[in-house]
Amino acid sequence: MNTQSKSQGCCSCNHSPEQNSSPSASFDLKTELLPILGVVFLLGIGLIFQEQLHATPYSIGEYLVFIPAYLFSGWTVLSNAGRNILRGRIFDENFLMTIATLGAIAIHQLPEAVGVMLFYQVGELFQDLAVSRSRRSIQSLLEIRPDTANLKVNDSIQQVSPETVNVGDIILVKPGEKIPLDGEIIEGNSQVDTSALTGEPVPRTVKVGETVLAGMINTTGVLTLKVSKNFGESSIAKILNLVENASSKKAKTEKFITRFAQYYPPVVVFLSLAVALLPPLFIPGATSEQWVYRALILLVISCPCGLVISIPLGYFGGIGGAAKNGILVKGATFLDTLTAVKTVVFDKTGTLTKGVFKVSEIVPKNSYTETELLMLAAHTESHSHHPIAQSIREAYGQEIDDKIVSDYEEIAGHGIKAKVKNQVILAGNDRLLHRENINHDTCDVGGTVVYLAVEGQYAGYIIIADQLKEDAAQAIFNIKQIGIEQTIMLTGDNKTVAQTVAEKLGLDHYLAELLPEDKVDSFEQILHQTGDKNKVAFVGDGINDAPVIARADVGIAMGGLGSDAAIETADIVIMTDAPSKVAEAIKIGKKTHKIVWQNIFFALGVKGIFILLGIVGIATLWEAVFADVGVALLAILNASRVLRTSPEN
């Protein structure tokens, strides 16, 4: 077995999978199995010829067979116990195992001593195997890290490290290659495999003008990209950082087990001493050998290996299972919090809707024409990065003349004020016109609306259409099916649009026409109404959502096209931008929580029963060994079930 990885034993929490989750860590079943098979061979010979081996008391033949087997199987435990004692950490699992087995040798129970160490190593083998499986699902994300980028320099292509490529550089991605950096396609079209980032196996077709993310795999055509982000700021770099640090935030249950493991071994040791020493003094006919044997049984069965191993393994498996489904959970504590969520609050644009806006209608007023209105709107919105502004510029379809635009000013939560051809233009929502006291005859318009005013005179409005995401309605249905009591939408859009979306999706409540600061205030009210016991999750994607994501009990960000601020602030990142993943995340959290508590009750229950049986003399040392290893194996296997979580179960 790997001595280094077990230097502290279970009770000192060294078996937490997070401490062995390095991408470079490997598990070789054959290498780990060989020492165990050697011990099994020696133990088998000893048991077969046991009568001949100890023909005389303490025969040298018996020791020549069993002591090597004991040392081969128990050297890791013995050395760790000695090392920990020198460091002042006396009471741990290694100490319990050492006392129990040396005591068994002292009362001439050599096969039992070897059996304790052997089955302990078998339990360790299964633990390493389970951790390896859990790690593999997360390693698949780490393996999408691109090694090189094909940098276009003049007319030549140079293979360079992605870290050396700058924003604005041109790179070439051939079929079969990983996309090394986030970028915009400037030439070519292809299909890309996004499964490593999103968990979705369906290829995605991309063309000129679209953005592709680092870590996707180009499958068909040659793509020429203009790099939009440095490697350190790319999607893949952020994902790697999230995955590598995911297990650093422990759940409350893990912290409880860590504290439990500090106090449990000393209690067991002193209880065993009492069992060994007191009955011979007070019970007539009781022998020291009989009660020492029972004390040894108590030491063996009391080892909390299965408990201490399986709980962090359960959370580690939950994080891995979520990653396979395109859901990145930044820590075990958030899996626990998900189980208490009763209210889910959504942003609208980019979360429940696609955020892909198109001009659907132009309505001019006061002698303005559609062409004039669109031209003024496009120039006024020329410096805005908002999707609505981009849709207006796309509808205009002509080059923007920056020379005629001046005094550009964004008014948060209202719109834009600028001079176009020396005329003061206002472009924004209905609140902007009311704020500037501009008379207008249309306030309640279905859809997203941009109103325009020229030199204080109402000029008309432009209707922008935004489509619901395909799985939005199903997402709300699934969320309610798993026990979420309230679904709420917060949006800066007008009430008419918000009401239409809420009715189509089946949302319980909505709050509309919210400024960025209003979103935080509204969310605070929701938190206050919900209470401390029931948790509230917020799902968003934009920069303006980051403060609410940070304030939520569980902040969830759309990671595919979401803003960097939202992704960095969130506790959970959904790589597919699909709202239906919210229900999946909650299901994974609940399944993980359920499995962890199953292991706790099972391990403590079985150990409690066998402790009583050992004290009254019914259980033997062999039965104690099987009970201890059996509990550990079953707990590990149960914890591994969370890895098999899929959208269907």
Side-chain angles (χ1 to χ4, degrees), residues 575-618:
M575 294 311 301
T576 59
D577 279 352
S580 57
K581 292 288 183 181
V582 175
E584 286 182 37
I586 295 172
K587 285 166 68 176
I588 290 171
K590 288 185 174 182
K591 184 174 182 179
T592 303
H593 188 77
K594 179 181 178 181
I595 286 173
V596 165
W597 280 102
Q598 283 174 350
N599 283 344
I600 291 174
F601 290 128
F602 174 69
L604 293 179
V606 171
K607 286 185 180 294
I609 292 170
F610 270 84
I611 285 171
L612 293 175
L613 294 177
I615 291 174
V616 299
I618 296 176

Side-chain angles (χ1 to χ4, degrees), residues 369-578:
T369 66
E370 291 186 12
T371 303
E372 288 174 328
L373 199 64
L374 186 57
M375 185 277 291
L376 291 171
H379 281 79
T380 306
E381 302 272 10
S382 60
H383 298 299
S384 174
H385 296 291
H386 195 283
I388 292 176
Q390 292 173 4
S391 70
I392 290 175
R393 292 197 297 269
E394 286 177 8
Y396 180 56
Q398 300 178 40
E399 189 174 343
I400 301 293
D401 185 0
D402 288 330
K403 295 178 182 178
I404 66 172
V405 181
S406 62
D407 298 342
Y408 179 88
E409 178 189 354
E410 288 199 20
I411 304 169
H414 290 79
I416 294 169
K417 183 178 183 179
K419 280 188 177 181
V420 178
K421 293 182 178 180
N422 292 320
Q423 290 181 305
V424 177
I425 311 295
L426 295 173
N429 54 29
D430 185 58
R431 288 195 303 270
L432 178 62
L433 298 189
H434 284 287
R435 172 185 162 174
E436 300 294 328
N437 295 317
I438 294 173
N439 293 324
H440 55 292
D441 57 4
T442 313
C443 291
D444 190 11
V445 180
T448 300
V449 181
V450 175
Y451 293 91
L452 282 102
V454 180
E455 292 289 341
Q457 183 185 32
Y458 181 47
Y461 60 88
I462 298 173
I463 299 177
I464 315 292
D466 184 16
Q467 293 179 317
L468 292 173
K469 289 184 177 178
E470 287 82 358
D471 66 332
Q474 188 64 42
I476 303 303
F477 176 79
N478 291 346
I479 284 171
K480 292 184 177 181
Q481 287 291 102
I482 59 174
I484 300 302
E485 296 173 358
Q486 272 197 112
T487 53
I488 303 171
M489 181 178 69
L490 304 182
T491 179
D493 217 332
N494 64 61
K495 290 182 180 179
T496 305
V497 174
Q499 183 178 359
T500 302
V501 171
E503 289 175 352
K504 285 183 178 179
L505 299 182
L507 293 162
D508 296 313
H509 304 288
Y510 68 89
L511 294 171
E513 299 181 2
L514 299 174
L515 299 173
E517 58 269 27
D518 294 335
K519 272 192 175 181
V520 178
D521 293 338
S522 299
F523 192 78
E524 290 282 359
Q525 293 177 11
I526 293 169
L527 286 172
H528 179 72
Q529 293 167 3
T530 306
D532 295 331
K533 290 185 179 180
N534 295 331
K535 302 298 182 183
V536 181
F538 180 81
V539 190
D541 73 310
I543 293 174
N544 63 330
D545 295 326
V548 193
I549 288 174
R551 182 63 187 88
D553 295 314
V554 182
I556 303 175
M558 296 294 174
L561 297 174
S563 73
D564 292 347
I567 292 170
E568 289 172 8
T569 307
D571 307 313
I572 295 170
V573 180
I574 295 173
M575 294 311 301
T576 59
D577 279 352

Side-chain angles (χ1 to χ4, degrees), residues 8 65 93 104 111-112 139 149 152 156 230 235 256 297 308 332 338 368 374 385 410 427 448 455 512 614 641:
Q8 314 231 351
V65 173
E93 177 164 288
E112 284 90 337
Q139 269 188 298
K152 198 170 183 179
S156 64
N230 291 322
S235 301
F256 161 73
I297 293 172
V308 177
L338 280 173
Y368 285 93
L374 186 57
H385 296 291
E410 288 199 20
T448 300
E455 292 289 341
R641 284 196 302 123

Side-chain angles (χ1 to χ4, degrees), residues 35-50 53 65-70 72-73 109-119 622 625-626:
I36 292 177
L37 293 176
V39 174
V40 170
F41 177 72
L42 288 175
L43 181 61
I45 290 176
L47 292 174
I48 293 171
F49 298 105
Q50 192 171 31
L53 288 174
V65 173
F66 286 120
I67 293 301
Y70 173 75
F72 277 133
S73 60
Q109 300 290 338
L110 273 71
E112 284 90 337
V114 176
V116 169
M117 290 299 192
L118 173 62
F119 287 110
W622 280 109
V625 171
F626 280 114

